[in-house]
């Protein structure tokens, strides 16, 4: 399975970006798809994820500003990011996972989001 992410870039504080990720190489619907991020000098952290049933989970920092959506038929997941802040600056990674046996986890290549103040 390969995950191809796109949509990162440079934006001013208060602006918006939309990240997109497409999974290829499998006809199976990924049970969980989402986005993580890693800022310089920090650990990778969850931003948002969504189950194939449509249940979302957000980091506290993302609630009210970011919206995750997915298309099971296409195995894609998007992240709409509004009201961006400089502290949102990070490399964002797409993730697809199955947490019940047999488990698996796949990562995309990462896309850089830079928010200027």
């Amino acid at each position: 399975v390969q995950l191809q992410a796109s949509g990162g870039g440079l934006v001013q504080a208060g602006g918006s970006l939309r990240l997109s990720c497409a999974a290829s190489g499998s006809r199976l619907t990924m049970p969980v798809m989402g986005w993580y991020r890693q800022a310089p000098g920090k650990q990778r952290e969850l931003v948002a994820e969504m189950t194939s049933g449509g249940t979302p989970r957000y980091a506290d920092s993302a609630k009210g500003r970011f919206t995750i959506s997915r298309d099971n038929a296409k195995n894609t997941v998007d992240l709409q990011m509004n009201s961006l802040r400089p502290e949102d600056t990070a490399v964002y990674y797409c993730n697809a996972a199955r947490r019940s046996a047999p488990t698996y986890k796949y990562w995309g290549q990462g896309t850089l989001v830079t928010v200027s103040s």
Side-chain angles (χ1 to χ4, degrees), residues 5-74:
S6 62
L10 174 63
V11 65
Q12 288 188 333
S16 298
L17 281 175
R18 188 176 184 87
L19 305 182
S20 296
C21 176
S24 61
S26 174
R27 292 185 175 184
L28 299 177
T29 299
M30 301 295 162
V32 181
M33 294 188 76
W35 294 91
Y36 287 68
R37 69 186 182 187
Q38 188 166 18
K42 295 188 177 182
Q43 290 189 331
R44 191 174 297 188
E45 61 178 7
L46 172 71
V47 177
E49 64 182 14
M50 181 174 275
T51 67
S52 57
T55 301
R57 183 164 73 110
Y58 294 95
D60 287 344
S61 60
K63 290 178 181 176
R65 300 188 300 127
F66 296 0
T67 302
I68 190 169
S69 59
R70 62 179 290 179
D71 184 328
N72 289 339
K74 297 180 179 179

Side-chain angles (χ1 to χ4, degrees), residues 3-6 19-23 33-35 75-78 94-95 108:
L3 301 178
Q4 182 67 43
S6 62
L19 305 182
S20 296
C21 176
M33 294 188 76
W35 294 91
N75 259 341
T76 60
V77 61
D78 291 349
C94 178
N95 170 271

Side-chain angles (χ1 to χ4, degrees), residues 85-110:
R85 305 165 180 166
E87 53 264 39
D88 294 317
T89 295
V91 177
Y92 284 69
Y93 295 91
C94 178
N95 170 271
R98 178 186 171 97
R99 296 179 180 143
S100 58
T103 62
Y104 57 74
K105 185 182 291 185
Y106 301 107
W107 295 98
Q109 82 281 12

